[in-house]
Amino acid sequence: MRPSSVLAVLALGAASTLHAETVERMVLSRGGVVLEVSAPASGIVRIRMGRGKLPEDASWAVPAARRSARLPLKVTRRGEQVLLRTANIAARIDLRTLRTDVLDGGGRLLLADLAGRAALSPDGGFRMRGRMGGDDHVFGLGDKTGTFDRKGGAYTMWNTDTYKFTQATDPLYKTVPFFLAVSDRGQAHGLFLDNTWRTTFDFGKTERGVLSISGEGGPVDYYVMAGPAPKDVLQQYARLTGSAPLMPQWALGFQQSKWSYKTDAEVRAIARRLRSERLPSDVIYMDIDYQDRSRPFTVNRQAFPHVRRLADDLRTQGIRLVLITDPHIANAPGQGYAAYDSGAAQDLFLKLPGGRYYSGDVWPGAAVFPDFSRAQARRWWGELHAGFVSDGVAGFWNDMNEPSIFNAPGKTMPLEVVHRIESDDFAPRSTSHAEMHNVYGQLNSRATYEGLLRLQPDVRPFVLTRATYAGGQRYAATWTGDNVSSWQHLKMGMQQLVNLGLSGFSYAGNDIGGYAGERPSPELLTRWFQLGAFMPLFRAHAETGRADQEPWVGVAAQVEIRRRFISERYRLMPYLYAAAEENSRSGIPLLRPVFLNFPSVLAHGDRLGGSEDQFMIGGDLLLAPSPMLESPGDYNVELPGKGWYDYWTGRRLDGKGLVVKPDIAQLPVYVRPGAIIPRQPLVQSTAFIPEGRLELHVYPGAGCQGDIYADDGVSLAYQRGGFLRQRIRCEQTPSGLKLLFEQREGSWRPWWNGMALYVHGWDAEAAPQAYAAGGALATSVDREQNAAVILAPDLAGGVVEIDRQRAVDPQGPPQPPASAL
Ligand code: MIG
């Protein structure tokens, strides 16, 4: 504790002396239970409670610096109640029961505590209870299935390999004990329980209107976040657990995977086919069969004689290799298996209480497991990647890290397995698998991420993990595991990805086409590609032993639709990348429920104001697939206001509702009035430099603005000024429109040699006149896009004036306006 800090430890009788004092934290003790309240940031309170003493102040989710920040709390006492507050949040503690209500800055009750010190049971377990707001909807908790709104459901946190999971399967692969509650009026708050043990969240399922959070062990250590808007809560949560670092741009490209492309020749053939079919793509994955006898960090040299040559050759075609590296190291002493030998030499594998290694059966047969809660083990694990990295492998895929064990009770290791914690600001100690199970995957992916950074300090790592814990977004992207090729899964998968984004995991995807089950019909595969083209992670994958389901499979007409959507993603890359960069600073996900951008939609309309079936990518694009994806029936789309545009035609829509007739060739996408969306000419890979102009698509409306962001896409130079960021705004003028190009930030020099400005909703026959710096610009009309098109030089700043009234015959010479004469 710093010497200047004020610690208030209340013997109950002395509490009255605290009136109007300011403290850094408050510790109260009653009936053997100790409670601590602090405010690590304005709008966040942290509450910890323990029997006899507080739980250890350490975390795998919240870095030490963020936990130790403490804002002053103003203390007021009223009778048996103590109120602690910052400007934006308050805790009201009942001194007899230690019940701790949380209120926002305006005094609105966010969480009415029903348990207080009674939450702790003598056996080390706990059960917190609170009253839920009557009109609160609940989101988050990672990739849980069930319903989009978690209200009325109960969910268990216990990372589990759930092959062919269903809507009813719980628990699943990940543990993110964070939820976002949003009322019908769009007022939001959040709660994060930082406890890695098996816990259960019950949102009024067992007891109507009562939130209950229980566990058999581990700390009662939770944070309540005040909002008031849903985005505020996500930003507060990102303050605590971090946001995903900016991914390499190629990770936003299309990724082709399969269990498995089994030989060098097969991988090359896939790459060739992607190119000859003109299916833009950036990545091919190699699943477990590239290895020698499924042993991690080996290569079957018959099948893959020369990984470096393969990686190099693919790289010239704009394709990067990602390899799977599973945590189950073959239990193979004395066989010259380097991963085992080096780990054993440093004594880094998990043990049973008697001191022998724990061994479980997985792909290589008997396997041992690194003790990732030791910094030393993570460092060793990272170094195992050195060979692949120097061979030019671009990223790594950490699977089976729940951890998953074959033929074992609960499909994982026994709870008595001993882990050693030697890391971060934890006190060094041994603990059981019951504490470390849910964080094993997160620490596995952390070891990979940090190892890659050590091996290549100026390259953005790419890691894909299946299991994880809150905060794991700092290390890896994720996917939802072994889904099924069905319409129901395609629908449910959207819900899972939206909730993952609301849980900090902005880079999430599901296996395009479905992983298991019957092979997808051509239409199902097409729809999956259409939606997948807008998902943060766009990765096709399927189980072994199935018929092919690459995008070229099926009749030409279907392939053409898939090609069009994959290509559209590449054209939209500047927009997606700007959203990714924003996410790295704010934690606001790329994929968003409609209510995140427009909280007011919750107040009117059903299906959460459209948020159950529609969703947004970034701040401006709204996707509206049919609520029943396979149904041929018409459906209604509710837009969050008037004046939206059709993305595909550029036409401005009347009204805010419309009826859509499903068509397998189309996916309705709408644009927020006031958006400015950057697009680029088509490339077949993010590794290729687009040729020509940057397109800026302007959709006039209120709050008109958009952002350009660009950098080298792969290195960390952007953290040292090697980026380009620019805001563009638009304003209506009496005669037309004015585009204001704000001054650029950063030193990155873009690829484009000019700009093409598309002003959409253009219904005039003739092109406008347009001027920049007094000079006339070439203009035309694009009827298909319902746009006036203005060709401009690259504008690092300045203004473009568009004069609609002095529309010109596109054939005639442009006339400067009176003001410029
Ligand atoms: O026991 O590596 O979820 O994506 O293809 C199956 C083989 C192991 C499960 C993953 C899946 C992957 C598969 N893995």
Side-chain angles (χ1 to χ4, degrees):
M1 202 176 65
R2 279 157 298 165
S4 62
S5 70
V6 182
L7 172 67
V9 182
L10 289 193
L12 282 178
S16 56
T17 59
L18 281 173
H19 195 79
E21 206 179 322
T22 293
V23 297
E24 260 200 353
R25 63 184 183 131
M26 173 154 294
V27 181
L28 295 163
S29 165
R30 179 86 201 218
V33 170
V34 186
L35 171 81
E36 180 205 62
V37 178
S38 61
S42 181
I44 308 179
V45 285
R46 180 184 186 193
I47 297 173
R48 302 197 299 143
M49 200 159 54
R51 251 180 202 280
K53 62 175 175 23
L54 292 171
E56 180 179 12
D57 189 357
S59 169
W60 301 110
V62 186
R66 312 199 188 191
R67 263 182 288 118
S68 60
R70 287 197 175 123
L71 293 192
L73 288 163
K74 219 168 163 232
V75 187
T76 345
R77 174 152 185 197
R78 265 189 226 105
E80 292 301 311
Q81 286 195 336
V82 175
L83 188 71
L84 306 170
R85 59 199 157 88
T86 71
N88 297 312
I89 198 160
R92 185 173 59 205
I93 311 166
D94 182 285
L95 294 172
R96 292 156 301 195
T97 59
L98 299 187
R99 283 186 188 181
T100 307
D101 297 336
V102 182
L103 306 95
D104 71 10
R108 187 176 72 102
L109 193 58
L110 304 178
L111 204 83
D113 185 9
L114 299 170
R117 65 191 166 94
L120 299 186
S121 64
D123 61 4
F126 64 91
R127 185 161 134 84
M128 297 150 50
R129 289 170 67 248
R131 187 153 300 288
M132 294 171 61
D135 65 347
D136 276 356
H137 308 282
V138 181
F139 307 96
L141 292 196
D143 59 355
K144 297 297 190 187
T145 55
T147 49
F148 173 47
D149 181 351
R150 276 61 166 106
K151 183 181 188 168
Y155 302 87
T156 295
M157 303 296 171
W158 189 253
N159 293 1
T160 309
D161 179 356
T162 41
Y163 176 68
K164 280 184 161 179
F165 60 86
T166 71
Q167 187 119 25
T169 306
D170 186 63
L172 290 162
Y173 301 90
K174 309 178 214 318
T175 292
V176 190
F178 164 73
F179 69 82
L180 165 72
V182 192
S183 76
D184 281 344
R185 279 149 298 136
Q187 280 183 308
H189 69 277
L191 187 149
F192 168 50
L193 173 70
D194 194 1
N195 179 324
T196 62
W197 296 57
R198 183 184 196 112
T199 56
T200 298
F201 284 68
D202 183 324
F203 300 102
K205 183 179 186 191
T206 311
E207 249 184 297
R208 208 186 150 77
V210 173
L211 160 72
S212 129
I213 306 175
S214 56
E216 290 151 25
V220 172
D221 181 353
Y222 63 101
Y223 300 80
V224 181
M225 290 145 259
K231 273 189 185 168
D232 298 326
V233 176
L234 299 193
Q235 268 168 315
Q236 285 156 339
Y237 180 67
R239 257 186 111 101
L240 293 175
T241 65
S243 51
L246 180 58
M247 283 280 144
Q249 191 173 40
W250 56 263
L252 292 172
F254 172 56
Q255 315 191 9
Q256 180 65 54
S257 180
K258 181 196 169 80
W259 178 18
S260 292
Y261 298 128
K262 285 202 169 78
T263 61
D264 181 284
E266 203 181 342
V267 172
R268 288 171 190 270
I270 295 294
R272 258 198 315 276
R273 187 81 190 257
L274 287 165
R275 289 294 168 257
S276 69
E277 296 272 359
R278 297 203 62 75
L279 293 160
S281 40
D282 269 76
V283 186
I284 294 178
Y285 280 67
M286 283 162 49
D287 204 328
I288 50 176
D289 299 312
Y290 78 84
Q291 304 167 121
D292 174 18
R293 288 165 288 165
S294 297
R295 293 181 172 187
F297 304 100
T298 66
V299 174
N300 173 347
R301 294 287 167 196
Q302 263 82 56
F304 293 94
H306 218 296
V307 175
R308 182 183 308 186
R309 208 167 293 152
L310 176 61
D312 284 353
D313 292 350
L314 294 187
R315 196 66 79 89
T316 61
Q317 301 170 58
I319 289 181
R320 288 175 155 86
L321 272 184
V322 172
L323 264 54
I324 199 165
T325 49
D326 283 344
H328 42 243
I329 300 294
N331 189 354
Q335 299 179 25
Y337 172 38
Y340 179 91
D341 292 343
S342 59
Q346 292 186 55
D347 195 19
L348 299 175
F349 301 125
L350 292 173
K351 292 176 182 165
L352 291 164
R356 299 165 49 117
Y357 286 151
Y358 164 71
S359 178
D361 279 358
V362 209
W363 290 113
V368 291
F369 296 81
D371 193 354
F372 290 115
S373 42
R374 297 173 60 189
Q376 190 190 344
R378 293 201 301 273
R379 185 172 273 272
W380 159 83
W381 172 267
E383 283 160 10
L384 291 177
H385 294 76
F388 288 147
V389 166
S390 77
D391 280 347
V393 174
F396 294 90
W397 173 20
N398 295 161
D399 185 21
M400 303 294 277
N401 50 10
E402 293 70 28
S404 175
I405 318 274
F406 297 161
N407 309 315
K411 290 201 255 174
T412 195
M413 55 181 64
L415 297 187
E416 79 230 29
V417 167
V418 182
H419 296 245
R420 184 83 199 141
I421 297 178
E422 288 166 2
S423 184
D424 300 81
D425 59 347
F426 284 89
R429 61 185 167 88
S430 294
T431 188
S432 81
H433 190 63
E435 177 174 356
M436 299 316 296
H437 176 85
N438 281 340
V439 76
Y440 193 80
Q442 190 229 44
L443 291 171
N444 172 212
S445 62
R446 174 177 173 184
T448 311
Y449 176 85
E450 291 175 349
L452 294 177
L453 264 187
R454 272 194 297 270
L455 290 166
Q456 294 185 303
D458 200 33
V459 176
R460 297 177 216 172
F462 176 75
V463 183
L464 180 68
T465 189
R466 191 170 70 178
T468 192
Y469 177 68
Q473 69 270 15
R474 301 196 297 270
Y475 315 117
T478 191
W479 90 108
T480 56
D482 297 342
N483 62 355
V484 177
S485 301
S486 70
W487 289 102
Q488 197 255 342
H489 259 267
L490 176 53
K491 172 87 188 172
M492 180 170 75
M494 295 309 313
Q495 175 281 98
Q496 292 183 280
L497 297 180
V498 171
N499 270 308
L500 271 168
L502 295 176
S503 309
F505 288 85
S506 313
Y507 295 103
N510 54 26
D511 290 355
I512 302 290
Y515 174 79
E518 296 286 308
R519 83 184 277 187
S521 69
E523 291 75 18
L524 174 58
L525 189 57
T526 297
R527 277 280 187 240
W528 218 310
F529 270 102
Q530 283 177 338
L531 288 164
F534 294 92
M535 294 305 105
L537 210 75
F538 184 22
R539 174 175 175 267
H541 183 57
E543 186 173 32
T544 188
R546 288 194 356 151
D548 290 352
Q549 65 181 54
E550 282 76 13
W552 53 77
V553 171
V555 296
Q558 295 292 325
V559 177
E560 178 51 32
I561 302 170
R562 297 171 203 152
R563 178 181 298 115
R564 203 154 39 77
F565 277 84
I566 301 173
S567 301
E568 193 60 35
R569 182 183 183 93
Y570 278 76
R571 294 183 197 276
L572 258 183
M573 193 56 77
Y575 174 74
L576 297 174
Y577 197 50
E581 194 275 334
E582 185 205 329
N583 168 260
S584 71
R585 288 178 287 124
S586 68
I588 304 299
L590 284 74
L591 176 65
R592 310 174 185 178
V594 178
F595 73 74
L596 193 64
N597 287 332
F598 299 95
S600 63
V601 298
L602 292 171
H604 44 78
D606 52 5
R607 308 185 72 72
L608 302 173
S611 301
E612 280 194 11
D613 309 305
Q614 305 170 179
F615 46 89
M616 296 192 67
I617 184 91
D620 300 326
L621 296 182
L622 186 147
L623 275 67
S626 166
M628 284 176 294
L629 292 168
E630 72 277 40
S631 156
D634 292 1
Y635 62 98
N636 294 315
V637 172
E638 273 293 298
L639 294 167
K642 290 201 178 130
W644 284 61
Y645 294 79
D646 182 308
Y647 175 74
W648 305 109
T649 65
R651 194 173 299 133
R652 195 178 172 114
L653 306 164
D654 332 309
K656 48 179 277 191
L658 59 169
V659 179
V660 175
K661 186 167 199 52
D663 173 353
I664 188 68
Q666 312 290 340
L667 175 65
V669 178
Y670 304 99
V671 190
R672 174 183 75 84
I676 299 180
I677 296 191
R679 271 166 109 250
Q680 68 182 26
L682 181 60
V683 282
Q684 294 297 308
S685 160
T686 66
F688 302 147
I689 295 167
E691 276 170 38
R693 296 169 184 270
L694 180 75
E695 298 174 9
L696 287 176
H697 291 261
V698 180
Y699 301 87
C704 180
Q705 65 172 50
D707 294 316
I708 306 175
Y709 177 83
D711 59 24
D712 67 21
V714 287
S715 83
L716 297 175
Y718 74 97
Q719 296 176 353
R720 305 182 295 268
F723 65 91
L724 180 161
R725 187 182 298 126
Q726 186 176 22
R727 174 149 293 180
I728 297 118
R729 291 184 291 117
C730 94
E731 279 170 14
Q732 310 269 5
T733 59
S735 59
L737 199 70
K738 199 193 223 174
L739 285 176
L740 302 105
F741 289 77
E742 293 188 0
Q743 217 50 52
R744 273 185 192 161
E745 291 170 61
S747 61
W748 176 250
R749 317 219 65 196
W751 52 262
W752 56 86
N753 56 22
M755 293 174 157
L757 314 174
Y758 288 73
V759 178
H760 289 281
W762 189 264
D763 44 20
E765 286 291 312
Q769 290 190 16
Y771 310 89
L777 302 171
T779 63
S780 59
V781 174
D782 181 333
R783 281 199 207 299
E784 269 176 33
Q785 293 269 309
N786 284 287
V789 186
I790 297 132
L791 300 183
D794 180 31
L795 291 162
V799 176
V800 171
E801 302 260 8
I802 299 162
D803 192 334
R804 171 186 275 279
Q805 284 159 4
R806 301 171 132 258
V808 289
D809 167 3
Q811 256 64 37
Q815 301 292 313
S819 62
L821 289 174

